[in-house]
Amino acid sequence: MSAPSIQEIQWDLDPLLNPKSIAIVGASETSFFSSLLMQNLRHFGFDGAIYPINPKYKEVAGLTCYPSLADIPAAPDNVAIIVRRDLVLKTVEDAIAAGARSATIVSAGFGETDEPEWLHVEEQIRDLSVKHGFPIMGPNCLGTISTHRNVGALTAPIRGGLHKGNIALVMQSGGLLQGLAMPFYQRGIGLSYAVSSGNNMSLDLSDFIDHFLDDPNTDVICAYVEGFKQPEKFKRVAQKALDLGKPIIVLKVGKSEKAAQATLAHTGSLAGSDSVINAVFEKYGVVRVADFDDLIETSAVFASSTDRIELPAGSGIGVLSGSGGSVSLCSDLSEEYGVNVPGLAPETKQKLIDALPPSAIVLNPVDATAQILNDFELYRTTMRTLSEDPNIGVVLYLMALGLASNDVPRHQKLLEIVIDVAKTIDKPLVITSLMSHSLDDWQREFLSNHKEFAYTQGIGKSLKAIQSLIDYNAAYHRNIRRVAGPAPANATRREKALAYLASVGRAVLTEHETKKLLAIYGIDTSKEVRVETEDEAVKAAEAIGYPVVMKVDSPDILHKTDAGGVKVGVGNAEDVRKAFRDIIESARHYNADADILGVLIQEFISGGSETIIGVTSDPQFGPSVMFGMGGIFVEVFEDSVFKVPPISAREARGMVESIKGYKILRGTRGKPALDIDALITALQAIGAMVDELSDVIEEMDINPLIVLPEGKGVKAADGLLVVRRSDG
């Protein structure tokens, strides 16, 4: 029986993340990393056994030091490996032989170096991990902290410490984890775990996320990601997280990376890997943030709003302030960031007019004036009234003077009212300081003890964070309401498609061949006949009806217009004959060695608008489907959207409605509405095709897919398909 794929392994990470005993190989009082590890274990109150391992010493940091793992009195849950890289492989073997249950390789100099020798050593270590079911974190990592179990197994200084809380951090960078811990502590934001995963040699960040999802102390997961080594596992774990309502917040770097393959289809040149990653995140409800400040504010909002209440459809943010200046800035930023700050319902507006002083601005944001500092009940009434508005999903209070300190009793009283209101309304409540500022001990302690509301800093980042919460809640409830996903793969249809592709026997399909595959999936194409002589061309044109379109059909001429291989609006037999000769001559001149299969005689389609549907394959996450308006919309305006198949009807409609060209499809300036329903059906069909043939399709373009007037359907007027090349 073969060993399971590393993407299929379900690791038990409790011995690694919550060990009851730890052996430290390479322990020394002069070693920076091992000394910090022992200090942190004591600082966090670790009450398990600690076994320093080093044949040079009898004692380290007041603890008995053992010459080897074989000499310790009991097999440890975790072995921290802090030795020269040439000793790491042997140490892993010794740990397995000693009955240890996990290992953390702090030592560096392996896969991250791109040195062939050490890449090979890392592969050997990974093979040992998989063979023995032995979870290994790293190499090149700093370790882990589990606050609720008092495990501070980190080989880096953590100033101040960490508050216990419900946010788990997993970082593919040790230094950034160390840096991020401080602002979380200073803001009073509690963590359940903080993990530096290093090279993700055998344990991927998805394995850590999966463990956090099963942890009762964790409600929110934050990850810093440089790359996905086990993308299929990530998708499975992300779906599990969405099912559980535990959000994954990701800071993914490397936006400028391009998919690592030469592209033949037009779609490939439009999509970097970031487009596909965004599509994956959207499908599975993963929240993406732009930087660490966004990560902090977003996690703060999510951590205090763990009840996945179903907010009113299309609801937005209700904003309250006592400062006119902050209201104006909030209005500008909400528009800039595309955040939904909706108008107030008439009944809400009237209640506020009746309650607030005449100088108040009763819009959204609401400027209640500084009078709320004199009339606490007015403050309470205003927040509750906003929370009752059907257009509002989250209430945001802008605190112009920042979080109250213990020498401002009036502001303390306001915070007490905030807590009281938060307990009595059924929507999340967020308090925001207008700008970032340090907190004193009283404020930090107050925030760590009160989770009734979220506290954030900075209007713009807070608005984005709250909008992310609203969007996530909507995604979560759509997910739990789904009766069934998209139609299951059709095995018979797949076999028919595979047989057809085998009969073609080429990696690149011509337009005519591509359309035959589309027809298997029920996608309408332009009427056409492939001919080899002038007489056949005239006969076909007369059967189809003038005018016609004529194109060269060759697997060696992908860009037919560049080769002079396209004639549009050919209106009679004489012109058909001339066009046939011109096309063949131009094609031969363009590529003398081209295999010309014939000339296509096609119907001339009028009365619709051109769109493009494409498929591009990401090296990590596989194929995704792109949709956009044709022509300059997709190229100049970058008006396109990507989705990961399969594609549901809701997702397909969302693709259509999200592009700028949607107004054209709806009908503008006297032009009729186009067949959007047929377009949605076509997108679903393409999604089904790509899902069923994900192991086969590399790239594809339907360019253009013409959307006809309402009720007339859609037609694929051109197409190109590239089949995945065999490794053999």
Side-chain angles (χ1 to χ4, degrees), residues 118-386:
W118 298 105
L119 284 167
H120 178 62
V121 172
E122 186 171 289
E123 290 172 359
Q124 290 178 287
I125 297 171
R126 181 176 61 247
D127 290 345
L128 283 172
S129 173
V130 172
K131 178 181 177 181
H132 295 279
F134 184 71
I136 301 176
M137 183 167 71
N140 187 31
C141 71
L142 292 182
T144 181
I145 294 174
S146 174
T147 62
H148 293 280
R149 301 286 188 90
N150 300 324
V151 178
L154 201 71
T155 58
I158 296 293
R159 289 186 296 154
L162 294 176
H163 300 287
K164 293 181 179 180
N166 62 343
I167 301 171
L169 297 179
V170 56
M171 313 280 285
Q172 289 180 328
S173 168
L176 291 178
L177 173 66
Q178 182 185 359
L180 191 59
M182 175 58 78
F184 271 97
Y185 174 73
Q186 290 181 330
R187 287 277 298 276
I189 302 172
L191 301 177
S192 55
Y193 291 94
V195 172
S196 161
S197 63
N199 290 6
N200 295 119
M201 176 193 64
S202 63
L203 295 182
D204 184 58
L205 66 91
S206 303
D207 295 302
F208 295 104
I209 293 172
D210 197 21
H211 179 88
F212 301 151
L213 291 175
D214 294 331
D215 176 55
N217 294 314
T218 301
D219 297 309
V220 179
I221 296 140
C222 296
Y224 170 82
V225 182
E226 295 173 353
F228 296 92
K229 288 195 172 182
Q230 299 179 29
E232 290 303 315
K233 180 178 284 187
F234 177 78
K235 288 192 287 187
R236 290 197 303 271
V237 170
Q239 181 61 58
K240 176 180 175 180
L242 187 59
D243 291 342
L244 293 172
K246 292 190 175 186
I248 302 172
I249 302 170
V250 172
L251 173 54
K252 170 66 176 70
V253 295
K255 289 185 177 183
S256 60
E257 294 176 8
K258 294 293 183 181
Q261 81 268 13
T263 59
L264 299 177
H266 179 72
T267 304
S269 64
L270 296 173
S273 60
D274 204 58
S275 300
V276 179
I277 288 170
N278 280 336
V280 171
F281 285 1
E282 182 180 5
K283 190 174 191 71
Y284 296 104
V286 177
V287 179
R288 187 169 190 176
V289 294
D291 55 33
F292 285 109
D293 290 326
D294 276 342
L295 180 71
I296 293 168
E297 306 310 333
T298 304
S299 61
V301 168
F302 275 82
S304 67
S305 306
T306 57
D307 293 333
R308 299 285 158 240
I309 60 172
E310 186 162 11
L311 303 173
S315 64
I317 307 171
V319 184
L320 168 66
S321 179
S323 163
S326 65
V327 162
S328 298
L329 180 58
C330 182
S331 297
D332 289 346
L333 291 173
S334 63
E335 184 173 335
E336 178 181 345
Y337 293 129
V339 174
N340 183 21
V341 178
L344 301 175
E347 59 273 21
T348 304
K349 192 169 184 178
Q350 189 58 54
K351 287 180 182 179
L352 292 175
I353 289 173
D354 293 341
L356 293 172
S359 58
I361 300 174
V362 184
L363 298 171
N364 188 19
V366 177
D367 177 9
T369 76
Q371 182 63 24
I372 59 174
L373 295 177
N374 290 322
D375 187 344
F376 291 153
E377 287 308 309
L378 181 61
Y379 182 75
R380 187 194 309 271
T381 299
T382 305
M383 282 195 293
R384 283 181 173 164
T385 301
L386 280 176

Side-chain angles (χ1 to χ4, degrees), residues 14 23 27 57 59 76 94 201 271 328 384 408 443 482 505 509 608 709 720:
D14 209 51
Y57 305 106
E59 183 179 290
D94 291 345
M201 176 193 64
S328 298
R384 283 181 173 164
V408 187
Q443 293 166 331
R482 74 189 192 280
L509 275 66
L720 167 67

